[in-house]
Structures are given as structure tokens and as C-alpha cells.
Amino acid sequence: MKISRVSRHHYRRALTRLEIVVIVAVIALLTLVAVPPLMMARAKKTRINCVNNLKIIGLACRVFSTGSTTEYPWLLDRDDQRTTSMYRDQPAALWRHFAAWSNELSTPKLLNCPSDRERQPARTWAEFNDNRFLSYALGFTANVKWPESVLATDRNVLLDGSPLANAIVSFPSNANVAFDDRLHQQAGNVLFGDGSVQQLRSDRLREAFRAAHSALGTNQTLAFP
């Protein structure tokens, strides 16, 4: 007896249009469910890395100020070879103040926030020669004696709704400051005078600036890259 070709081989048919639509819909649904948690996990990781960067910067600052000198580089006497005081009124030279800590910081990559897609980290200190490698603002009125003072913060700060860049700004006690969404989804990290780092949203940032003003008895002055 002859065995038909159909009986010896499984019949293969093409997927119907409806089946294709169902498969695509299932894949799209799975993507919608899986992607947000992955993005949140990634954002959390980069923010933790940013916190660690600021902690290391704070430690480097304290090591610098307790070594052969007792001041921040921008407060040193002009006779000190490590001083950057001549650049205090030049926002485009902000990078020089951070570069003064090159002996205390292992790499200039620490001066770049992992969430900052607009800025690229410098690979070496020789390459670190411009604000374009910086993600952090620097507080010129910071004081190790006043834990509430702001030593550094993510650069995504708004004042009265306007972004700050290439500027030196004096903040009054009632400064209307906020974080925008350029780095940490309308939040940011702040390094204080005692070396601690806090993750803050805009309302907490305003409270921190008021507390710093009260502790210092004067306006805070921050330089933004």
C-alpha cells in the first residue's frame, strides 16, 4: 500500500494574519511591563554612582584642607602653589578648582555624573582642562565648620525656573531653587560641608539652601559649569 506524502511529513502552514497580530501584541505587552523596572533600576544605579562620586570629592577636599594647608584651594594665599584664588570670579575656569584636588582624586572621571549625557568624563588629568568635563557645581562659601553649607551639587539646578550654566550665583535665603530632569528626574545629589551626601528633590533642596544660609549668616555662592 502507498503511503501518501502528506501522511509521511507534517503539514507546515504559514501563520495567519491574526496570529501574527496576537504575537506582536504579546511582545509589546511584555516590553511595556519589563522596560520601566529596568529603566528605574538603571537610574537608581547611576544615581548611587553619582552619590559615591560626591562622597569621594568631599573626602578629597578634607584631605587637602587638613594637609599642608588649612583652606580650600580657592581660599589659599597667592603665594601657595596650589591656590586657585585668582579664578574665583571666572566661571569658565571652574574646572581649575577641582583640578587642584588631582593629588587626592584618583581620576577626573569622578567629576562626571554617570547620568550626565551632555558631559563626557576626562580620561586623564592632562585632558581635564575645561568645564565640559564637569557635572558638579561648587560652593565657594562652603565651610567644614558648618555641616549645613553646600560644597557641591549636581549641576541641574534651576533658579526661578531658569537653568544655571557658566555662572557664579549668590543665593539668598528665599532662593527659588529646584532640580530639573536633565540628570536625576527632577532630583539631585548635594555634598555638604561635613562630607555627607544627600539625595534631594526640589522641595528638600530649597530647605537645604535656607538651612545653609541660616548657618553661614550670608548668601551661599555657587559656581556652575
Side-chain angles (χ1 to χ4, degrees), residues 146-189:
W146 299 107
E148 301 91 342
S149 61
V150 175
L151 177 57
T153 180
D154 284 311
R155 67 181 182 85
N156 60 319
V157 175
L158 301 175
L159 177 61
D160 295 328
S162 299
L164 302 171
N166 194 33
I168 298 175
V169 183
S170 179
F171 294 90
S173 60
N174 61 344
N176 181 24
V177 292
F179 284 117
D180 64 22
D181 58 1
R182 283 176 291 168
L183 300 185
H184 301 293
Q185 299 176 345
Q186 295 186 330
N189 302 315

Side-chain angles (χ1 to χ4, degrees), residues 49-57 109-110 112-114 136:
N49 289 338
C50 178
V51 168
N52 290 336
N53 285 357
L54 285 170
K55 286 183 177 179
I56 296 172
I57 292 170
K109 293 180 181 179
L110 295 168
N112 177 264
C113 172
Y136 304 114

